[in-house]
Amino acid sequence: MPGTIPIGEFAKMTHLTVKALRHYHRLGLLAPGHVDPRTGLRGYDPGQVRAARTIRRLRELDMPLADIKALLGAPGALDRDRVLLTHLTRLEDELDRTRVAIAGLRRLLEDPAGETPVRYRDVPDTPAVAITRHIERTSVGEFCAEAFAALPDDGTGPLAALFPEELFTEGEGEVTVFRPVTRLAPTLLVPGGEFAVAMHHGRYEDLDETYGPLGTHITALGLSTPGPLREIYLDPHLDVADRRTEVCWPITR
């Protein structure tokens, strides 16, 4: 048809491959202005060049195709802005995670030995209020945050959690978040024992920076024994950089 741009020419104008244009047509993201009913050849209108270039730019920003479709089909500017702001927030969150991961990798490269002071502690059986749930490793942060908010506090001691070995080996297991109590009625008697303890400073997501040196220390001395690992959250209310977490590894001496 006169004024119709063949798909190959349209690809050159927009820097989108023919394969991508066909895919976007199948998804209903960018339907050609004309499809020859006999040959199936696609042709595009000149006014579609802007939309195609917009799609390309948004894909460079890793916007999902479903979000691009919602943006292009938005009835008004406010709806388009809402889709864009949601994606920009997602990009900012990913950038923050990337920065933190780079910082952690830099620390690892600059201090490969990872020396961490280790103390030993005998812990008695502890009456506590507790919440236990079978979860996947990837859900630990979300579950702990929920439990932190739900558990009552009588001022006896800080929040803590027990992590079974299968959580680390199999990626899932029964995690218990607890808080010691003396005035409230306990729901669990947390077993005591002897532990090697190391202090972690900073994000919970970086706890491997303390687990690694602590586990290496214990293994070198032949002290490791089966049992759940314990984390004690001394100040979860502080900013991430200021948080202190005791990592407690069960041992036998």
Side-chain angles (χ1 to χ4, degrees), residues 34-207:
H34 175 74
V35 179
D36 191 303
R38 183 173 58 85
T39 64
L41 292 176
R42 297 168 171 86
Y44 292 82
D45 298 329
Q48 292 183 286
V49 171
R50 178 182 174 84
R53 293 177 59 208
T54 300
I55 291 171
R56 179 172 170 271
R57 294 300 184 196
L58 293 173
R59 289 300 290 152
E60 287 179 342
L61 291 174
D62 294 324
M63 179 177 279
L65 291 174
D67 289 353
I68 295 176
K69 186 175 181 179
L71 184 147
L72 294 178
L78 288 177
D79 300 284
R80 290 195 299 273
D81 290 349
R82 190 175 297 112
V83 176
L84 276 173
L85 285 172
T86 298
H87 185 62
L88 289 176
T89 300
R90 185 161 54 232
L91 288 177
E92 289 171 345
D93 290 343
E94 290 174 356
L95 182 59
D96 287 341
R97 286 192 293 270
T98 299
R99 286 172 175 157
V100 170
I102 290 173
L105 182 58
R106 187 180 298 278
R107 288 193 298 271
L108 180 62
L109 294 174
E110 292 174 349
D111 184 20
E115 290 295 330
T116 299
V118 177
R119 297 173 290 113
Y120 299 96
R121 180 186 301 164
D122 285 316
V123 178
D125 293 347
T126 304
V129 287
I131 299 174
T132 299
R133 187 181 302 169
H134 188 100
I135 60 173
E136 294 185 354
R137 180 83 177 271
T138 54
S139 301
V140 166
E142 179 181 356
F143 168 59
C144 286
E146 292 176 4
F148 287 178
L151 287 173
D153 182 8
D154 71 0
T156 300
L159 288 158
L162 302 175
F163 299 102
E165 292 188 4
E166 57 266 27
L167 186 75
F168 302 94
T169 59
E170 307 300 326
E172 59 180 273
E174 281 201 346
V175 173
T176 297
V177 175
F178 68 93
R179 189 194 295 273
V181 293
T182 53
R183 294 189 292 274
L184 295 172
T187 61
L188 177 70
L189 184 64
V190 181
E194 189 171 12
F195 295 87
V197 182
M199 184 71 75
H200 175 79
H201 297 269
R203 299 192 329 149
Y204 301 141
E205 292 86 351
D206 295 328
L207 275 161

